[in-house]
Amino acid sequence: MAKLIDFNSLVLMIIATIALFHSYVVIGMTSSSMYVNWGAHHCKLLGDDLQLVLDKSAGSGAQSKRSFLFGSFEMLIKLVPNNSAGTVTTYYLSSTGTKHDEIDFEFLGNISGQPYIIHTNIYTQGVGNREQQFYPWFDPTADFHNYTIHWNPNTVVWYINSIPIRVFRNYQAKGISFPNKQGMGVYTSLWNADDWATRGGLVKIDWTNAPFIATYRKFRPRACYWNGPMSISQCAIPTKTNWWSSPLYNKLSAHKLGQMNSMRNNMYINWGSHNSWMQGDDLQLVLDQSSGSGVQSKGTFLFGSIEMQIKLVPGNSAGTVTAYYLSSTADKHDEIDFEFLGNISGQPYIIHTNIFTQGAGGREQQFYPWFDPTADYHNYTIHWNPNAVVWYVDDIPIRVYKNYQSQGIPYPNTQAMGVYSSLWNADSWATRGGLVKCDWTNAPFIAKYRNFVPRACAWNGPISISQCAAQTPNNWYTAPEYNQLSYAKQGQMEWVRNNYMIYDYCKDTKRFNGQFPGECFKPQF
């Protein structure tokens, strides 16, 4: 009997091993792994290419022949060109049933010259409404681009051309549902959604542009086959076969986080949209006689490091101000400023810094740059933690404002601040106190930004006042090494201040009549 039991156990182990081995697949051709599930007269499935068509009679779609639980799902897609308003092209995973799971890419068309909207969503147990939307940083109609959904027991990540744009983590242990118990098929479609897709349904499909055509190729599901409930455990086991369960895929690398936390995902144009341009990680702000322009971050922060690379307006920039700053929105707001005051050709910019606490500013310090800020990009960083604010230019500190709140000097540590950038006409004061005006024959004035990196604590309401200040590994900026500048950094800052500082409010005896603010009597570094 013992031998029989051992033999049966061995058989079961072999069967399980075979099933597990076959759970991992790499399918070579779109036509071998998908089939047309509606609008067959409108589809062409040839080798590795799938062509979906929409006209007045119908749209079309396809789905995978198998369902999966966890893995990586890649597809190259070339979207409907020209006037695609009212159309929606989709690529998504979905289970079936009323309490279904779903992970979406949807591409909302637009009129010619206006960008697509990349619409993402996730459903768990039939509940969605977790939308995040993005503008593409490329023309998605000119060529094929790779759209990948990476799904494992810990997280879902949406990628475009290997750049992550969104993450949904598994917090099931805290009562937040996560898709990990239902096999999902892969679906594609092109359909008429002009009741909502473009400007909330205000722009309808122009059928004179039909047929609308989207093309897919190189569908690559490197994933675990769904073989019924037993797959719930089999597909989640950390094995070499289940490569997606490796610790490497539990969270994004620092490089990938940097890609995701870039300009396009973190900022939006808040004024002068006709005079600004954002593509990928590049932002261009424009000032002409009609208007300036500006952007702001989608989120707000309390403490961290906020970096931006900026290339200032070249030539005669007199009267213009290019700004990069943090600010809260309350009446008694906090604010930390970099402002770049333009000048006539051949004369240097002025780097103007200031800090507001509880609505009170007047703490200006100004510097000449020791480089040409218009010839190339330079890094401007605001480092802000519970102990100090430090302004950096190309990793060189130029100013420190320390926290002396315990001695009655206000410090910004209770209000969330957004990140703002703008280019505007300030010729009433910016250059020689307003004596030199903007020369509009030099317009348009253009400032360029790139590589926005906010390594900071996201504001989640008043609870963040304590959470973001806590000394934890996640709050890296609270580590002891960030409480005080190193001797090398102090030496760099003294060099800048001795050679390039042109104004310090703490030395303006005429302005304050000898009654300097309290922080002027305190060591700052």
Side-chain angles (χ1 to χ4, degrees):
M1 178 64 87
K3 291 184 178 179
L4 183 60
I5 292 173
D6 289 343
F7 177 76
N8 287 341
S9 299
L10 180 61
V11 170
L12 289 173
M13 288 173 62
I14 292 170
I15 291 171
T17 303
I18 292 170
L20 195 58
F21 176 79
H22 283 290
S23 70
Y24 171 66
V25 292
V26 178
I27 300 175
M29 301 293 281
T30 304
S31 59
S32 66
S33 53
M34 302 195 79
Y35 69 93
V36 175
N37 61 345
W38 66 286
H41 66 292
H42 269 173
C43 292
K44 289 182 180 178
L45 189 52
L46 299 172
D48 213 29
D49 283 349
L50 165 67
Q51 192 173 86
L52 298 183
V53 178
L54 165 67
D55 63 19
K56 263 191 167 180
S57 69
S60 49
Q63 72 179 79
S64 60
K65 296 177 180 178
R66 298 292 298 266
S67 295
F68 310 91
L69 186 69
F70 307 135
S72 179
F73 304 86
E74 300 184 42
M75 182 78 86
L76 297 183
I77 308 175
K78 186 176 181 182
L79 297 180
V80 174
N82 301 320
N83 186 351
S84 58
T87 72
V88 170
T89 306
T90 70
Y91 170 55
Y92 63 101
L93 310 182
S94 184
S95 62
T96 56
T98 54
K99 292 191 174 181
H100 77 295
D101 294 338
E102 186 175 325
I103 306 169
D104 295 344
F105 269 114
E106 292 185 302
F107 307 94
L108 314 186
N110 216 329
I111 57 176
S112 297
Q114 297 299 311
Y116 266 83
I117 290 175
I118 301 170
H119 177 98
T120 67
N121 201 359
I122 185 167
Y123 289 73
T124 58
Q125 296 296 306
V127 179
N129 297 321
R130 299 181 177 99
E131 298 90 347
Q132 290 185 9
Q133 295 182 333
F134 308 83
Y135 286 132
W137 54 98
F138 51 88
D139 181 354
T141 73
D143 204 348
F144 288 90
H145 293 271
N146 184 299
Y147 303 90
T148 297
I149 295 169
H150 183 88
W151 170 37
N152 70 22
N154 294 286
T155 190
V156 177
V157 186
W158 290 252
Y159 288 89
I160 299 178
N161 294 333
S162 197
I163 295 173
I165 64 168
R166 178 180 180 180
V167 175
F168 184 84
R169 292 190 66 84
N170 184 350
Y171 289 108
Q172 202 165 26
K174 297 182 179 181
I176 300 169
S177 55
F178 186 83
N180 58 7
K181 291 183 173 62
Q182 300 186 51
M184 290 200 267
V186 183
Y187 297 80
T188 63
S189 61
L190 173 59
W191 53 291
N192 172 9
D194 69 4
D195 58 334
W196 65 273
T198 306
R199 294 184 59 197
L202 294 177
V203 182
K204 303 299 184 182
I205 289 180
D206 182 353
W207 293 110
T208 63
N209 294 304
F212 302 99
I213 299 172
T215 308
Y216 301 72
R217 70 170 46 156
K218 293 187 178 176
F219 173 49
R220 298 292 183 267
R222 298 187 298 130
C224 189
Y225 277 145
W226 174 256
N227 291 310
M230 67 184 296
S231 297
I232 295 172
S233 58
Q234 283 186 344
C235 293
I237 297 170
T239 65
K240 288 184 179 180
T241 302
N242 293 353
W243 58 272
W244 52 83
S245 294
S246 163
L248 293 174
Y249 299 101
N250 286 350
K251 68 179 191 177
L252 296 177
S253 68
H255 175 66
K256 289 298 179 186
L257 276 173
Q259 288 181 322
M260 188 167 70
N261 292 332
S262 59
M263 187 84 69
R264 62 184 171 271
N265 291 334
N266 286 280
M267 305 200 85
Y268 67 93
I269 296 165
N270 62 346
W271 67 285
S273 58
H274 68 289
N275 258 0
S276 49
W277 173 85
M278 189 184 296
Q279 182 170 353
D281 212 29
D282 289 331
L283 165 69
Q284 186 170 283
L285 297 182
V286 178
L287 166 67
D288 60 22
Q289 278 191 287
S290 70
S291 175
S293 50
V295 296
Q296 73 179 78
S297 60
K298 295 177 180 177
T300 55
F301 310 95
L302 187 69
F303 306 135
S305 179
I306 314 293
E307 300 183 40
M308 183 81 85
Q309 292 185 4
I310 308 175
K311 186 176 181 181
L312 297 179
V313 175
N316 185 351
S317 59
T320 71
V321 169
T322 305
Y324 167 55
Y325 61 101
L326 311 183
S327 182
S328 62
T329 56
D331 290 337
K332 292 187 176 181
H333 78 294
D334 294 338
E335 185 174 325
I336 306 170
D337 295 343
F338 269 114
E339 291 184 301
F340 306 94
L341 315 186
N343 217 328
I344 58 176
S345 298
Q347 297 300 311
Y349 266 84
I350 291 174
I351 301 172
H352 176 97
T353 68
N354 200 357
I355 185 168
F356 289 72
T357 58
Q358 297 296 310
R363 301 180 177 95
E364 300 90 349
Q365 291 184 4
Q366 295 181 334
F367 308 81
Y368 284 138
W370 52 96
F371 51 87
D372 180 355
T374 73
D376 204 349
Y377 289 90
H378 292 269
N379 183 297
Y380 302 91
T381 296
I382 295 169
H383 184 88
W384 169 37
N385 70 20
N387 294 287
V389 177
V390 186
W391 290 253
Y392 288 88
V393 178
D394 290 333
D395 203 36
I396 295 174
I398 65 171
R399 178 180 181 179
V400 175
Y401 183 86
K402 295 201 73 166
N403 184 352
Y404 288 107
Q405 196 170 32
S406 63
Q407 300 179 42
I409 298 168
Y411 185 81
N413 58 8
T414 59
Q415 297 186 51
M417 290 199 266
V419 185
Y420 298 81
S421 292
S422 59
L423 174 58
W424 52 292
N425 174 11
D427 66 5
S428 62
W429 65 273
T431 306
R432 295 184 60 202
L435 294 176
V436 183
K437 304 297 184 182
C438 286
D439 181 352
W440 295 110
T441 63
N442 293 306
F445 303 101
I446 299 172
K448 297 179 179 180
Y449 299 74
R450 71 181 183 194
N451 292 347
F452 172 51
V453 181
R455 297 187 299 128
C457 188
W459 176 259
N460 291 307
I463 192 173
S464 295
I465 295 172
S466 59
Q467 285 183 339
C468 294
Q471 292 186 342
T472 65
N474 284 339
N475 294 349
W476 58 271
Y477 45 81
T478 62
E481 58 263 35
Y482 297 105
N483 289 346
Q484 180 82 29
L485 291 180
S486 68
Y487 288 120
K489 290 299 180 188
Q490 288 183 45
Q492 289 178 328
M493 185 163 68
E494 287 176 352
W495 172 77
V496 171
R497 296 174 75 84
N498 290 338
N499 292 281
Y500 295 98
M501 189 176 200
I502 58 173
Y503 178 80
D504 182 357
Y505 73 109
C506 284
K507 296 179 180 178
D508 194 339
T509 54
K510 182 177 179 181
R511 174 182 174 186
F512 291 105
N513 195 27
Q515 302 296 312
F516 289 107
E519 66 268 14
C520 293
F521 301 98
K522 305 293 182 182
Q524 295 296 333
F525 57 93

